[in-house]
Amino acid sequence: MTVYLSSIMGSPSIGVYSLATESIIIIPRMTPKQKAQEYADWLKTKLVYTTISGSVLIGAFACANSNGMLLPNSVKDEELTEIRKAFDGTITIMETKKTAYGNIVLANDKGAIADPRIKEDDIKKISETLGVEVLQTEIAGLPYVGSLATVTNKGVLAHPLLKDVERKILEQAFKVPVEVGTINCGIPYVGTGLLANTHGAVAGSLTTGPEMFIIGNAMDVVQEVE
């Protein structure tokens, strides 16, 4: 299992533009097909080559684990069709004004955390879709938990200013070790620049050697440069 360095559409913010689970990776169609397939090969997943709501901001709009996927109500029928070809889990279109579910929910196959401002009824839908308990918390005192950390079934890498009480909630929710670090040469919004599952990880192209070392430890993978 390996940490690779890469970019999407020339940007190191690969977590904003893509989404990975244990079984699938969603990459926007604007990415060359060969490169998108390379990501899928690295993480040993099926490739879903589409947009969400007509946007390339897939990692911001969607959240998923092996059990289910949360999508905004602006998702298009043709996008759903492409996702359903590869994804067998429950897909829930959230009928709320919120659209950036990738930014406000973070999940692995053991648990999930969510923005504390999400209403109880929506938390119940999120829990039913993802098939896990959902705890509400902030990371580093901020509510955008999906952009502040990356989680797999092996570990969590979170914003370096993670508080002790928040760490305990993350450990309780995800049932894996929690580490802190940065990506892309000091960016603390880890989720914006890191994709990972238990097969490997892909970090933004500006990520440094020391950052890769921490990612490798947190996700239990080894380093390799593209």
Side-chain angles (χ1 to χ4, degrees), residues 3-52:
V3 181
Y4 298 90
L5 288 180
S6 193
S7 59
I8 292 179
M9 295 185 295
S11 171
S13 299
I14 60 173
V16 175
Y17 298 108
S18 55
L19 167 68
T21 72
E22 288 295 291
S23 61
I24 67 164
I25 185 167
I26 308 178
I27 303 273
R29 288 191 303 264
M30 293 70 175
T31 306
K33 186 72 173 284
Q34 183 177 354
K35 184 167 189 176
Q37 186 60 54
E38 200 169 42
Y39 275 64
D41 293 343
W42 287 341
L43 298 183
K44 296 179 171 60
T45 62
K46 297 177 184 177
L47 172 63
V48 181
Y49 197 52
T50 188
T51 52
I52 291 180

mmCIF file of all heavy atoms in Angstrom, residues 3-52:
data_model
loop_
_atom_site.group_PDB
_atom_site.id
_atom_site.type_symbol
_atom_site.label_atom_id
_atom_site.label_comp_id
_atom_site.label_asym_id
_atom_site.label_seq_id
_atom_site.Cartn_x
_atom_site.Cartn_y
_atom_site.Cartn_z
ATOM 1 N N VAL A 3 1.619 5.705 -0.783
ATOM 2 C CA VAL A 3 1.207 7.101 -0.911
ATOM 3 C C VAL A 3 1.769 7.639 -2.224
ATOM 4 O O VAL A 3 2.985 7.625 -2.441
ATOM 5 C CB VAL A 3 1.736 7.975 0.244
ATOM 6 C CG1 VAL A 3 1.246 9.415 0.067
ATOM 7 C CG2 VAL A 3 1.294 7.446 1.593
ATOM 8 N N TYR A 4 0.890 8.088 -3.112
ATOM 9 C CA TYR A 4 1.290 8.686 -4.376
ATOM 10 C C TYR A 4 1.098 10.202 -4.308
ATOM 11 O O TYR A 4 0.281 10.702 -3.535
ATOM 12 C CB TYR A 4 0.439 8.134 -5.522
ATOM 13 C CG TYR A 4 0.579 6.646 -5.743
ATOM 14 C CD1 TYR A 4 -0.249 5.747 -5.087
ATOM 15 C CD2 TYR A 4 1.549 6.151 -6.608
ATOM 16 C CE1 TYR A 4 -0.117 4.377 -5.288
ATOM 17 C CE2 TYR A 4 1.685 4.781 -6.822
ATOM 18 C CZ TYR A 4 0.847 3.906 -6.152
ATOM 19 O OH TYR A 4 0.986 2.551 -6.351
ATOM 20 N N LEU A 5 1.820 10.925 -5.144
ATOM 21 C CA LEU A 5 1.633 12.363 -5.300
ATOM 22 C C LEU A 5 1.026 12.638 -6.670
ATOM 23 O O LEU A 5 1.480 12.085 -7.676
ATOM 24 C CB LEU A 5 2.972 13.104 -5.196
ATOM 25 C CG LEU A 5 3.629 13.195 -3.825
ATOM 26 C CD1 LEU A 5 4.946 13.957 -3.931
ATOM 27 C CD2 LEU A 5 2.714 13.871 -2.818
ATOM 28 N N SER A 6 0.010 13.507 -6.715
ATOM 29 C CA SER A 6 -0.601 13.805 -7.992
ATOM 30 C C SER A 6 -1.410 15.096 -7.905
ATOM 31 O O SER A 6 -1.474 15.748 -6.869
ATOM 32 C CB SER A 6 -1.503 12.639 -8.430
ATOM 33 O OG SER A 6 -1.863 12.783 -9.789
ATOM 34 N N SER A 7 -2.032 15.447 -9.045
ATOM 35 C CA SER A 7 -2.889 16.622 -9.116
ATOM 36 C C SER A 7 -4.071 16.295 -10.024
ATOM 37 O O SER A 7 -4.036 15.326 -10.783
ATOM 38 C CB SER A 7 -2.129 17.832 -9.667
ATOM 39 O OG SER A 7 -1.629 17.545 -10.972
ATOM 40 N N ILE A 8 -5.122 17.086 -9.907
ATOM 41 C CA ILE A 8 -6.281 16.946 -10.788
ATOM 42 C C ILE A 8 -6.544 18.300 -11.434
ATOM 43 O O ILE A 8 -6.668 19.309 -10.748
ATOM 44 C CB ILE A 8 -7.522 16.460 -10.015
ATOM 45 C CG1 ILE A 8 -7.320 15.007 -9.547
ATOM 46 C CG2 ILE A 8 -8.785 16.545 -10.887
ATOM 47 C CD1 ILE A 8 -8.479 14.434 -8.760
ATOM 48 N N MET A 9 -6.596 18.320 -12.753
ATOM 49 C CA MET A 9 -6.788 19.550 -13.522
ATOM 50 C C MET A 9 -5.769 20.615 -13.124
ATOM 51 O O MET A 9 -6.075 21.784 -12.993
ATOM 52 C CB MET A 9 -8.225 20.063 -13.353
ATOM 53 C CG MET A 9 -9.255 19.120 -13.936
ATOM 54 S SD MET A 9 -10.952 19.751 -13.874
ATOM 55 C CE MET A 9 -11.181 19.801 -12.106
ATOM 56 N N GLY A 10 -4.555 20.159 -12.850
ATOM 57 C CA GLY A 10 -3.469 21.054 -12.505
ATOM 58 C C GLY A 10 -3.476 21.539 -11.072
ATOM 59 O O GLY A 10 -2.618 22.332 -10.686
ATOM 60 N N SER A 11 -4.408 21.054 -10.266
ATOM 61 C CA SER A 11 -4.526 21.512 -8.885
ATOM 62 C C SER A 11 -4.099 20.418 -7.905
ATOM 63 O O SER A 11 -4.470 19.255 -8.082
ATOM 64 C CB SER A 11 -5.967 21.915 -8.581
ATOM 65 O OG SER A 11 -6.137 22.162 -7.194
ATOM 66 N N PRO A 12 -3.366 20.788 -6.830
ATOM 67 C CA PRO A 12 -3.024 19.813 -5.810
ATOM 68 C C PRO A 12 -4.176 19.534 -4.842
ATOM 69 O O PRO A 12 -4.069 18.637 -4.006
ATOM 70 C CB PRO A 12 -1.846 20.469 -5.079
ATOM 71 C CG PRO A 12 -2.123 21.935 -5.197
ATOM 72 C CD PRO A 12 -2.747 22.111 -6.555
ATOM 73 N N SER A 13 -5.270 20.272 -4.982
ATOM 74 C CA SER A 13 -6.420 20.093 -4.084
ATOM 75 C C SER A 13 -7.289 18.930 -4.570
ATOM 76 O O SER A 13 -8.476 19.085 -4.886
ATOM 77 C CB SER A 13 -7.236 21.394 -4.007
ATOM 78 O OG SER A 13 -6.459 22.449 -3.487
ATOM 79 N N ILE A 14 -6.681 17.753 -4.626
ATOM 80 C CA ILE A 14 -7.338 16.608 -5.239
ATOM 81 C C ILE A 14 -8.576 16.151 -4.483
ATOM 82 O O ILE A 14 -9.504 15.582 -5.063
ATOM 83 C CB ILE A 14 -6.354 15.445 -5.413
ATOM 84 C CG1 ILE A 14 -5.787 15.006 -4.052
ATOM 85 C CG2 ILE A 14 -5.232 15.836 -6.367
ATOM 86 C CD1 ILE A 14 -4.936 13.749 -4.131
ATOM 87 N N GLY A 15 -8.625 16.408 -3.164
ATOM 88 C CA GLY A 15 -9.780 16.003 -2.376
ATOM 89 C C GLY A 15 -11.020 16.829 -2.654
ATOM 90 O O GLY A 15 -12.135 16.396 -2.351
ATOM 91 N N VAL A 16 -10.829 18.011 -3.215
ATOM 92 C CA VAL A 16 -11.970 18.851 -3.593
ATOM 93 C C VAL A 16 -12.646 18.302 -4.847
ATOM 94 O O VAL A 16 -13.865 18.401 -4.995
ATOM 95 C CB VAL A 16 -11.515 20.307 -3.832
ATOM 96 C CG1 VAL A 16 -12.668 21.167 -4.346
ATOM 97 C CG2 VAL A 16 -10.918 20.902 -2.564
ATOM 98 N N TYR A 17 -11.845 17.693 -5.724
ATOM 99 C CA TYR A 17 -12.330 17.281 -7.040
ATOM 100 C C TYR A 17 -12.680 15.798 -7.148
ATOM 101 O O TYR A 17 -13.144 15.361 -8.201
ATOM 102 C CB TYR A 17 -11.280 17.610 -8.100
ATOM 103 C CG TYR A 17 -10.986 19.081 -8.211
ATOM 104 C CD1 TYR A 17 -9.779 19.606 -7.754
ATOM 105 C CD2 TYR A 17 -11.914 19.955 -8.761
ATOM 106 C CE1 TYR A 17 -9.502 20.958 -7.853
ATOM 107 C CE2 TYR A 17 -11.644 21.311 -8.861
ATOM 108 C CZ TYR A 17 -10.437 21.807 -8.404
ATOM 109 O OH TYR A 17 -10.166 23.155 -8.495
ATOM 110 N N SER A 18 -12.461 15.026 -6.106
ATOM 111 C CA SER A 18 -12.692 13.589 -6.220
ATOM 112 C C SER A 18 -13.100 12.987 -4.883
ATOM 113 O O SER A 18 -12.973 13.614 -3.833
ATOM 114 C CB SER A 18 -11.428 12.895 -6.733
ATOM 115 O OG SER A 18 -10.326 13.208 -5.896
ATOM 116 N N LEU A 19 -13.601 11.755 -4.958
ATOM 117 C CA LEU A 19 -14.097 11.047 -3.776
ATOM 118 C C LEU A 19 -13.726 9.580 -3.900
ATOM 119 O O LEU A 19 -13.945 8.965 -4.955
ATOM 120 C CB LEU A 19 -15.622 11.185 -3.688
ATOM 121 C CG LEU A 19 -16.357 10.267 -2.706
ATOM 122 C CD1 LEU A 19 -16.006 10.639 -1.271
ATOM 123 C CD2 LEU A 19 -17.856 10.339 -2.918
ATOM 124 N N ALA A 20 -13.163 9.002 -2.830
ATOM 125 C CA ALA A 20 -12.781 7.590 -2.858
ATOM 126 C C ALA A 20 -13.382 6.845 -1.682
ATOM 127 O O ALA A 20 -13.440 7.362 -0.556
ATOM 128 C CB ALA A 20 -11.261 7.459 -2.823
ATOM 129 N N THR A 21 -13.843 5.630 -1.936
ATOM 130 C CA THR A 21 -14.235 4.692 -0.893
ATOM 131 C C THR A 21 -13.392 3.437 -1.074
ATOM 132 O O THR A 21 -12.453 3.404 -1.869
ATOM 133 C CB THR A 21 -15.729 4.334 -0.977
ATOM 134 O OG1 THR A 21 -15.942 3.485 -2.116
ATOM 135 C CG2 THR A 21 -16.598 5.572 -1.099
ATOM 136 N N GLU A 22 -13.746 2.363 -0.375
ATOM 137 C CA GLU A 22 -13.044 1.095 -0.547
ATOM 138 C C GLU A 22 -13.252 0.504 -1.938
ATOM 139 O O GLU A 22 -12.425 -0.266 -2.428
ATOM 140 C CB GLU A 22 -13.504 0.089 0.513
ATOM 141 C CG GLU A 22 -13.015 0.393 1.911
ATOM 142 C CD GLU A 22 -11.508 0.299 2.025
ATOM 143 O OE1 GLU A 22 -10.967 -0.828 1.934
ATOM 144 O OE2 GLU A 22 -10.854 1.348 2.180
ATOM 145 N N SER A 23 -14.364 0.855 -2.584
ATOM 146 C CA SER A 23 -14.714 0.173 -3.831
ATOM 147 C C SER A 23 -14.775 1.068 -5.063
ATOM 148 O O SER A 23 -14.660 0.579 -6.188
ATOM 149 C CB SER A 23 -16.056 -0.541 -3.688
ATOM 150 O OG SER A 23 -17.087 0.394 -3.405
ATOM 151 N N ILE A 24 -14.975 2.372 -4.886
ATOM 152 C CA ILE A 24 -15.088 3.261 -6.045
ATOM 153 C C ILE A 24 -14.280 4.534 -5.839
ATOM 154 O O ILE A 24 -13.958 4.913 -4.713
ATOM 155 C CB ILE A 24 -16.555 3.662 -6.350
ATOM 156 C CG1 ILE A 24 -17.111 4.556 -5.224
ATOM 157 C CG2 ILE A 24 -17.428 2.451 -6.587
ATOM 158 C CD1 ILE A 24 -18.377 5.299 -5.599
ATOM 159 N N ILE A 25 -13.969 5.187 -6.959
ATOM 160 C CA ILE A 25 -13.443 6.548 -6.930
ATOM 161 C C ILE A 25 -14.182 7.339 -8.002
ATOM 162 O O ILE A 25 -14.390 6.853 -9.108
ATOM 163 C CB ILE A 25 -11.926 6.584 -7.154
ATOM 164 C CG1 ILE A 25 -11.389 8.021 -6.994
ATOM 165 C CG2 ILE A 25 -11.534 6.018 -8.507
ATOM 166 C CD1 ILE A 25 -9.876 8.099 -6.896
ATOM 167 N N ILE A 26 -14.642 8.529 -7.630
ATOM 168 C CA ILE A 26 -15.325 9.404 -8.578
ATOM 169 C C ILE A 26 -14.371 10.521 -8.967
ATOM 170 O O ILE A 26 -13.868 11.251 -8.104
ATOM 171 C CB ILE A 26 -16.619 10.001 -7.984
ATOM 172 C CG1 ILE A 26 -17.514 8.903 -7.415
ATOM 173 C CG2 ILE A 26 -17.377 10.788 -9.061
ATOM 174 C CD1 ILE A 26 -18.792 9.420 -6.762
ATOM 175 N N ILE A 27 -14.113 10.638 -10.263
ATOM 176 C CA ILE A 27 -13.198 11.638 -10.822
ATOM 177 C C ILE A 27 -13.954 12.406 -11.899
ATOM 178 O O ILE A 27 -14.660 11.806 -12.705
ATOM 179 C CB ILE A 27 -11.965 10.962 -11.454
ATOM 180 C CG1 ILE A 27 -11.228 10.087 -10.442
ATOM 181 C CG2 ILE A 27 -11.037 11.995 -12.072
ATOM 182 C CD1 ILE A 27 -10.207 10.768 -9.611
ATOM 183 N N PRO A 28 -13.815 13.738 -11.956
ATOM 184 C CA PRO A 28 -14.552 14.505 -12.965
ATOM 185 C C PRO A 28 -14.101 14.194 -14.386
ATOM 186 O O PRO A 28 -12.929 13.907 -14.646
ATOM 187 C CB PRO A 28 -14.262 15.960 -12.598
ATOM 188 C CG PRO A 28 -13.018 15.919 -11.792
ATOM 189 C CD PRO A 28 -13.038 14.619 -11.066
ATOM 190 N N ARG A 29 -15.052 14.278 -15.313
ATOM 191 C CA ARG A 29 -14.788 13.954 -16.724
ATOM 192 C C ARG A 29 -13.753 14.879 -17.343
ATOM 193 O O ARG A 29 -13.177 14.547 -18.376
ATOM 194 C CB ARG A 29 -16.086 14.032 -17.535
ATOM 195 C CG ARG A 29 -17.054 12.905 -17.262
ATOM 196 C CD ARG A 29 -18.174 12.906 -18.283
ATOM 197 N NE ARG A 29 -18.895 14.172 -18.309
ATOM 198 C CZ ARG A 29 -20.015 14.398 -17.644
ATOM 199 N NH1 ARG A 29 -20.523 13.459 -16.867
ATOM 200 N NH2 ARG A 29 -20.610 15.573 -17.712
ATOM 201 N N MET A 30 -13.524 16.056 -16.760
ATOM 202 C CA MET A 30 -12.546 16.981 -17.310
ATOM 203 C C MET A 30 -11.106 16.473 -17.126
ATOM 204 O O MET A 30 -10.163 16.986 -17.734
ATOM 205 C CB MET A 30 -12.679 18.352 -16.660
ATOM 206 C CG MET A 30 -13.991 19.058 -16.997
ATOM 207 S SD MET A 30 -15.419 18.238 -16.188
ATOM 208 C CE MET A 30 -16.737 19.362 -16.642
ATOM 209 N N THR A 31 -10.934 15.475 -16.279
ATOM 210 C CA THR A 31 -9.627 14.846 -16.093
ATOM 211 C C THR A 31 -9.387 13.847 -17.228
ATOM 212 O O THR A 31 -10.310 13.119 -17.593
ATOM 213 C CB THR A 31 -9.601 14.078 -14.752
ATOM 214 O OG1 THR A 31 -9.975 14.957 -13.697
ATOM 215 C CG2 THR A 31 -8.219 13.515 -14.464
ATOM 216 N N PRO A 32 -8.193 13.796 -17.801
ATOM 217 C CA PRO A 32 -7.932 12.781 -18.826
ATOM 218 C C PRO A 32 -8.278 11.384 -18.318
ATOM 219 O O PRO A 32 -7.937 11.033 -17.180
ATOM 220 C CB PRO A 32 -6.430 12.933 -19.091
ATOM 221 C CG PRO A 32 -6.139 14.362 -18.737
ATOM 222 C CD PRO A 32 -7.030 14.685 -17.579
ATOM 223 N N LYS A 33 -8.962 10.602 -19.152
ATOM 224 C CA LYS A 33 -9.447 9.282 -18.734
ATOM 225 C C LYS A 33 -8.310 8.387 -18.241
ATOM 226 O O LYS A 33 -8.457 7.653 -17.257
ATOM 227 C CB LYS A 33 -10.185 8.620 -19.898
ATOM 228 C CG LYS A 33 -10.870 7.305 -19.549
ATOM 229 C CD LYS A 33 -12.085 7.509 -18.693
ATOM 230 C CE LYS A 33 -12.873 6.221 -18.471
ATOM 231 N NZ LYS A 33 -13.657 5.820 -19.648
ATOM 232 N N GLN A 34 -7.177 8.449 -18.909
ATOM 233 C CA GLN A 34 -6.044 7.616 -18.514
ATOM 234 C C GLN A 34 -5.566 7.956 -17.102
ATOM 235 O O GLN A 34 -5.251 7.061 -16.311
ATOM 236 C CB GLN A 34 -4.892 7.779 -19.511
ATOM 237 C CG GLN A 34 -3.694 6.885 -19.218
ATOM 238 C CD GLN A 34 -2.601 7.016 -20.259
ATOM 239 O OE1 GLN A 34 -2.765 7.686 -21.267
ATOM 240 N NE2 GLN A 34 -1.461 6.383 -20.021
ATOM 241 N N LYS A 35 -5.533 9.249 -16.799
ATOM 242 C CA LYS A 35 -5.097 9.660 -15.462
ATOM 243 C C LYS A 35 -6.133 9.270 -14.418
ATOM 244 O O LYS A 35 -5.787 8.819 -13.315
ATOM 245 C CB LYS A 35 -4.871 11.176 -15.431
ATOM 246 C CG LYS A 35 -4.311 11.663 -14.098
ATOM 247 C CD LYS A 35 -3.804 13.085 -14.184
ATOM 248 C CE LYS A 35 -3.063 13.459 -12.919
ATOM 249 N NZ LYS A 35 -2.465 14.807 -12.998
ATOM 250 N N ALA A 36 -7.411 9.425 -14.736
ATOM 251 C CA ALA A 36 -8.473 9.023 -13.809
ATOM 252 C C ALA A 36 -8.380 7.534 -13.506
ATOM 253 O O ALA A 36 -8.528 7.111 -12.349
ATOM 254 C CB ALA A 36 -9.834 9.371 -14.397
ATOM 255 N N GLN A 37 -8.121 6.742 -14.537
ATOM 256 C CA GLN A 37 -7.993 5.301 -14.341
ATOM 257 C C GLN A 37 -6.777 4.965 -13.483
ATOM 258 O O GLN A 37 -6.788 3.986 -12.716
ATOM 259 C CB GLN A 37 -7.903 4.595 -15.690
ATOM 260 C CG GLN A 37 -7.902 3.073 -15.587
ATOM 261 C CD GLN A 37 -9.146 2.529 -14.931
ATOM 262 O OE1 GLN A 37 -10.264 2.836 -15.360
ATOM 263 N NE2 GLN A 37 -8.977 1.733 -13.878
ATOM 264 N N GLU A 38 -5.747 5.786 -13.596
ATOM 265 C CA GLU A 38 -4.543 5.587 -12.790
ATOM 266 C C GLU A 38 -4.884 5.713 -11.299
ATOM 267 O O GLU A 38 -4.438 4.901 -10.480
ATOM 268 C CB GLU A 38 -3.485 6.623 -13.187
ATOM 269 C CG GLU A 38 -2.091 6.268 -12.801
ATOM 270 C CD GLU A 38 -1.085 7.194 -13.465
ATOM 271 O OE1 GLU A 38 -1.331 8.421 -13.517
ATOM 272 O OE2 GLU A 38 -0.057 6.691 -13.933
ATOM 273 N N TYR A 39 -5.688 6.714 -10.957
ATOM 274 C CA TYR A 39 -6.138 6.866 -9.568
ATOM 275 C C TYR A 39 -6.876 5.615 -9.108
ATOM 276 O O TYR A 39 -6.663 5.114 -7.994
ATOM 277 C CB TYR A 39 -7.075 8.075 -9.443
ATOM 278 C CG TYR A 39 -6.396 9.400 -9.241
ATOM 279 C CD1 TYR A 39 -5.562 9.954 -10.209
ATOM 280 C CD2 TYR A 39 -6.592 10.126 -8.079
ATOM 281 C CE1 TYR A 39 -4.955 11.179 -10.035
ATOM 282 C CE2 TYR A 39 -5.991 11.356 -7.882
ATOM 283 C CZ TYR A 39 -5.169 11.882 -8.857
ATOM 284 O OH TYR A 39 -4.564 13.092 -8.669
ATOM 285 N N ALA A 40 -7.770 5.115 -9.951
ATOM 286 C CA ALA A 40 -8.535 3.926 -9.605
ATOM 287 C C ALA A 40 -7.612 2.724 -9.399
ATOM 288 O O ALA A 40 -7.809 1.925 -8.473
ATOM 289 C CB ALA A 40 -9.568 3.635 -10.691
ATOM 290 N N ASP A 41 -6.608 2.609 -10.241
ATOM 291 C CA ASP A 41 -5.657 1.498 -10.114
ATOM 292 C C ASP A 41 -4.859 1.617 -8.816
ATOM 293 O O ASP A 41 -4.618 0.616 -8.125
ATOM 294 C CB ASP A 41 -4.714 1.472 -11.314
ATOM 295 C CG ASP A 41 -5.422 1.121 -12.617
ATOM 296 O OD1 ASP A 41 -6.549 0.589 -12.560
ATOM 297 O OD2 ASP A 41 -4.847 1.405 -13.692
ATOM 298 N N TRP A 42 -4.417 2.834 -8.498
ATOM 299 C CA TRP A 42 -3.647 3.042 -7.265
ATOM 300 C C TRP A 42 -4.438 2.626 -6.028
ATOM 301 O O TRP A 42 -3.896 2.015 -5.112
ATOM 302 C CB TRP A 42 -3.261 4.513 -7.131
ATOM 303 C CG TRP A 42 -2.186 4.962 -8.064
ATOM 304 C CD1 TRP A 42 -1.297 4.182 -8.735
ATOM 305 C CD2 TRP A 42 -1.888 6.316 -8.422
ATOM 306 N NE1 TRP A 42 -0.460 4.964 -9.498
ATOM 307 C CE2 TRP A 42 -0.793 6.275 -9.332
ATOM 308 C CE3 TRP A 42 -2.425 7.552 -8.082
ATOM 309 C CZ2 TRP A 42 -0.237 7.424 -9.877
ATOM 310 C CZ3 TRP A 42 -1.875 8.697 -8.625
ATOM 311 C CH2 TRP A 42 -0.799 8.640 -9.513
ATOM 312 N N LEU A 43 -5.711 2.967 -5.997
ATOM 313 C CA LEU A 43 -6.543 2.690 -4.814
ATOM 314 C C LEU A 43 -7.339 1.400 -4.950
ATOM 315 O O LEU A 43 -8.135 1.068 -4.070
ATOM 316 C CB LEU A 43 -7.479 3.878 -4.553
ATOM 317 C CG LEU A 43 -6.785 5.213 -4.247
ATOM 318 C CD1 LEU A 43 -7.813 6.297 -3.944
ATOM 319 C CD2 LEU A 43 -5.807 5.076 -3.076
ATOM 320 N N LYS A 44 -7.132 0.680 -6.067
ATOM 321 C CA LYS A 44 -7.783 -0.615 -6.300
ATOM 322 C C LYS A 44 -9.308 -0.491 -6.229
ATOM 323 O O LYS A 44 -9.989 -1.253 -5.540
ATOM 324 C CB LYS A 44 -7.261 -1.663 -5.324
ATOM 325 C CG LYS A 44 -5.771 -1.959 -5.493
ATOM 326 C CD LYS A 44 -5.300 -2.987 -4.486
ATOM 327 C CE LYS A 44 -3.876 -3.458 -4.772
ATOM 328 N NZ LYS A 44 -2.884 -2.367 -4.743
ATOM 329 N N THR A 45 -9.829 0.469 -6.984
ATOM 330 C CA THR A 45 -11.267 0.735 -7.002
ATOM 331 C C THR A 45 -11.803 0.746 -8.426
ATOM 332 O O THR A 45 -11.039 0.800 -9.388
ATOM 333 C CB THR A 45 -11.587 2.106 -6.380
ATOM 334 O OG1 THR A 45 -10.941 3.120 -7.167
ATOM 335 C CG2 THR A 45 -11.131 2.204 -4.940
ATOM 336 N N LYS A 46 -13.123 0.738 -8.559
ATOM 337 C CA LYS A 46 -13.778 0.993 -9.836
ATOM 338 C C LYS A 46 -13.795 2.499 -10.071
ATOM 339 O O LYS A 46 -13.937 3.278 -9.125
ATOM 340 C CB LYS A 46 -15.211 0.465 -9.816
ATOM 341 C CG LYS A 46 -15.326 -1.037 -9.643
ATOM 342 C CD LYS A 46 -16.797 -1.436 -9.556
ATOM 343 C CE LYS A 46 -16.944 -2.925 -9.289
ATOM 344 N NZ LYS A 46 -18.382 -3.308 -9.132
ATOM 345 N N LEU A 47 -13.676 2.906 -11.317
ATOM 346 C CA LEU A 47 -13.707 4.321 -11.670
ATOM 347 C C LEU A 47 -15.118 4.750 -12.053
ATOM 348 O O LEU A 47 -15.771 4.107 -12.878
ATOM 349 C CB LEU A 47 -12.768 4.591 -12.842
ATOM 350 C CG LEU A 47 -12.833 5.995 -13.451
ATOM 351 C CD1 LEU A 47 -12.411 7.058 -12.440
ATOM 352 C CD2 LEU A 47 -11.979 6.075 -14.722
ATOM 353 N N VAL A 48 -15.587 5.840 -11.425
ATOM 354 C CA VAL A 48 -16.811 6.515 -11.849
ATOM 355 C C VAL A 48 -16.369 7.843 -12.446
ATOM 356 O O VAL A 48 -15.788 8.681 -11.752
ATOM 357 C CB VAL A 48 -17.784 6.740 -10.674
ATOM 358 C CG1 VAL A 48 -19.051 7.427 -11.170
ATOM 359 C CG2 VAL A 48 -18.107 5.424 -9.989
ATOM 360 N N TYR A 49 -16.635 8.018 -13.725
ATOM 361 C CA TYR A 49 -16.102 9.156 -14.485
ATOM 362 C C TYR A 49 -17.260 10.109 -14.780
ATOM 363 O O TYR A 49 -17.950 9.987 -15.792
ATOM 364 C CB TYR A 49 -15.483 8.604 -15.768
ATOM 365 C CG TYR A 49 -14.547 9.506 -16.521
ATOM 366 C CD1 TYR A 49 -13.469 10.141 -15.907
ATOM 367 C CD2 TYR A 49 -14.708 9.673 -17.897
ATOM 368 C CE1 TYR A 49 -12.592 10.929 -16.632
ATOM 369 C CE2 TYR A 49 -13.828 10.463 -18.642
ATOM 370 C CZ TYR A 49 -12.779 11.084 -17.992
ATOM 371 O OH TYR A 49 -11.903 11.859 -18.725
ATOM 372 N N THR A 50 -17.501 11.046 -13.861
ATOM 373 C CA THR A 50 -18.680 11.912 -13.992
ATOM 374 C C THR A 50 -18.477 13.193 -13.189
ATOM 375 O O THR A 50 -17.418 13.405 -12.590
ATOM 376 C CB THR A 50 -19.948 11.176 -13.502
ATOM 377 O OG1 THR A 50 -21.108 11.969 -13.812
ATOM 378 C CG2 THR A 50 -19.924 10.914 -12.007
ATOM 379 N N THR A 51 -19.476 14.035 -13.213
ATOM 380 C CA THR A 51 -19.538 15.217 -12.358
ATOM 381 C C THR A 51 -20.634 14.999 -11.319
ATOM 382 O O THR A 51 -21.326 13.981 -11.334
ATOM 383 C CB THR A 51 -19.875 16.468 -13.188
ATOM 384 O OG1 THR A 51 -21.052 16.193 -13.965
ATOM 385 C CG2 THR A 51 -18.749 16.842 -14.124
ATOM 386 N N ILE A 52 -20.809 15.951 -10.412
ATOM 387 C CA ILE A 52 -21.953 15.952 -9.501
ATOM 388 C C ILE A 52 -22.574 17.338 -9.545
ATOM 389 O O ILE A 52 -21.875 18.339 -9.360
ATOM 390 C CB ILE A 52 -21.553 15.560 -8.068
ATOM 391 C CG1 ILE A 52 -21.157 14.072 -8.042
ATOM 392 C CG2 ILE A 52 -22.699 15.819 -7.087
ATOM 393 C CD1 ILE A 52 -20.741 13.561 -6.694
#
